Amino acid sequence: MHDKLRLETLAVHAGHEPETGDHGLAPAFKPATTFLRDADGGFAAGHQYARASNPTRARLENALALLEGGGEALCFSSGMAAVGAVFAQLAPGDHAIVSGDAYHGAIRFIDDWLKPRGIGVTYCDTSDTGNIERELQPKTRLLWLESPSNPELKITDLAAVAALAANRGILTACDATLATPVLQRTLDHGIDIVMHSSTKYLGGHSDLLGGVLATRDAELAAGLRAWQIDGGAVPSAFDCWLLLRSLATLPLRVKQHAESARRIAAWLTEQTAVEKVFYPGLAAHPGHETAKRQMRDFGGMVSFLFRGDEDATRAVASRTKIFQQATSLGGVESLIEHRASVEGAQRRSAHNLLRLSVGLEHADDLIADLSQALKE
């Protein structure tokens, strides 16, 4: 039945099958970490120990796989734990090409932990497929993409990259946190693995930490599952329960995030205090046509360059009243962040770049808040 349902219906019903016994419509929270053996020593119910599996996590992983259009989903304790699971598939001497505008935490992980252990890494602007082709090496085993990227919201042509990699037997993975399965069915474009930080839009309420990988390749899923179990970076049953509950409203939330972000991005382009706006929904965005082709909408993230030095830019973030100055994104509340301040040694964002996570407040109120903050 599920393969015939639209995503909005799946979000409500996937993983919410009525409980056996009392037939409760809401999934029960099951915190058990160990499970009874059968008389023959087996585990007919399918669970032995929570690091390997838990009933609540199993429900969530099934729901997420359905939202991604099939295959298998694996949940981790954080987005970075999910990132680490993908890179753990590489061996010393292997080479990876990574989006230069990837999440700064992923870049820090790569620079501090992978490169010193013999993994070769090349960063490039993957929004131009030609850049990837030029950086390929005989030992290239992974293309790590981020589309839309963070924070410049660059768009990578997923189908083109997937075709390039498939011809060479290279694994492809894409961090699609900013798109969510609502706006982009990443696996449909031929990418091998899609990753989400479920802390962000999937959870949507700034109250849980998690990461997700999904793939339709059974052999690849088995390798990732082995790492998930042996590495042990799995989410708590309660975080799984919270995330499962949040998925029901995901399509509605993402629709509103995107609608308000479109309005705010268009408004920002008209402000003399703004030098440049990064939003794939704008016709002037270099990746606009690609985004139109591979996304259902353009998302709830907007970045822009303020006409001023770093101190003046940070002052703008400090003057907002509704936009809260905090790290993270994808929650119901709107956030603003001076990205260069938090990137540390991997700092690459312009000194005058501000990133907006547009929440669910009324767009007129958010525009009024930005208007007063942009004025000295």
Side-chain angles (χ1 to χ4, degrees):
M1 179 188 75
H2 283 137
D3 60 347
K4 299 179 181 178
L5 298 178
R6 291 170 175 80
L7 185 138
E8 291 81 0
T9 306
L10 280 175
V12 173
H13 292 281
H16 285 256
E17 295 77 12
E19 291 282 341
T20 57
D22 63 8
H23 302 291
L25 288 180
F29 162 53
K30 298 184 177 180
T33 57
T34 192
F35 302 85
L36 287 174
R37 291 180 179 270
D38 304 322
D40 63 0
F43 296 91
H47 305 285
Q48 174 184 359
Y49 185 64
R51 178 160 49 81
S53 65
N54 167 278
T56 306
R57 189 166 93 232
R59 276 181 174 265
L60 173 62
E61 291 181 336
N62 178 61
L64 290 166
L66 290 169
L67 290 179
E68 286 293 355
E72 187 170 349
L74 304 91
C75 291
F76 294 83
S77 57
S78 69
M80 283 307 306
V83 171
V86 176
F87 280 92
Q89 308 307 302
L90 301 179
D94 287 346
H95 174 254
I97 295 175
V98 176
S99 289
D101 193 38
Y103 170 54
H104 78 97
I107 291 178
R108 182 173 62 242
F109 169 73
I110 291 166
D111 287 349
D112 292 352
W113 296 99
L114 296 184
K115 287 182 177 180
R117 287 160 174 77
I119 304 295
V121 177
T122 301
Y123 297 108
C124 76
D125 181 358
T126 60
S127 64
D128 181 345
T129 308
N131 290 337
I132 299 175
E133 193 161 13
R134 283 187 288 273
E135 297 295 347
L136 289 172
Q137 300 179 14
K139 295 285 279 183
T140 301
R141 299 288 181 265
L142 171 67
L143 305 183
W144 179 266
L145 316 171
E146 190 168 309
S147 187
S149 70
N150 178 8
E152 292 190 12
L153 302 169
K154 294 180 179 180
I155 302 296
T156 294
D157 188 330
L158 300 178
V161 174
L164 176 71
N167 292 337
R168 296 167 171 82
I170 299 172
L171 182 68
T172 55
C174 178
D175 180 345
T177 296
L178 303 194
T180 81
V182 177
L183 302 184
Q184 180 175 283
R185 280 284 187 83
T186 302
L187 301 179
D188 286 352
H189 298 283
I191 299 299
D192 297 309
I193 304 170
V194 60
M195 175 267 172
H196 300 280
S197 171
S198 49
T199 311
K200 311 305 193 292
Y201 286 103
L202 298 186
H205 294 78
S206 303
D207 59 4
L208 66 87
L209 193 67
V212 179
L213 298 176
T215 181
R216 295 174 186 166
D217 184 315
E219 183 177 353
L220 181 55
L224 293 169
R225 180 72 68 186
W227 177 262
Q228 179 200 41
I229 295 170
D230 294 342
V234 295
S236 70
F238 184 60
D239 275 353
C240 290
W241 183 85
L242 281 176
L243 182 52
L244 187 59
R245 183 196 61 173
S246 296
L247 291 182
T249 60
L250 177 65
L252 293 174
R253 287 187 282 108
V254 169
K255 180 180 178 181
Q256 187 59 54
H257 287 302
E259 182 179 322
S260 294
R262 282 196 305 275
R263 286 193 56 194
I264 290 169
W267 177 82
L268 284 169
T269 63
E270 300 171 351
Q271 308 310 302
T272 57
V274 174
E275 178 183 327
K276 183 177 182 179
V277 181
F278 303 92
Y279 186 66
L282 297 173
H285 188 284
H288 178 66
E289 292 302 320
T290 302
K292 281 174 61 177
R293 186 172 66 251
Q294 68 188 25
M295 298 177 70
R296 294 174 65 182
D297 207 332
F298 304 105
M301 300 298 297
V302 181
S303 294
F304 67 95
L305 300 181
F306 178 67
R307 293 189 188 278
D309 61 19
E310 182 164 337
D311 289 341
T313 303
R314 295 182 68 171
V316 172
S318 297
R319 287 196 293 267
T320 56
K321 308 300 183 185
I322 300 175
F323 280 91
Q324 301 297 304
Q325 190 172 191
T327 293
S328 201
L329 57 94
V332 296
E333 64 285 305
S334 291
L335 302 179
I336 185 169
E337 187 169 53
H338 180 250
R339 289 301 299 164
S341 299
V342 300
E343 290 176 352
Q346 284 75 24
R347 174 173 172 155
R348 68 192 188 286
S349 293
H351 71 273
N352 59 337
L353 184 143
L354 291 169
R355 188 190 72 181
L356 305 178
S357 173
V358 178
L360 301 185
E361 304 92 343
H362 197 288
D364 288 345
D365 293 330
L366 295 174
I367 288 172
D369 188 33
L370 290 171
S371 180
Q372 64 83 23
L374 289 172
K375 298 174 182 176
E376 296 185 6

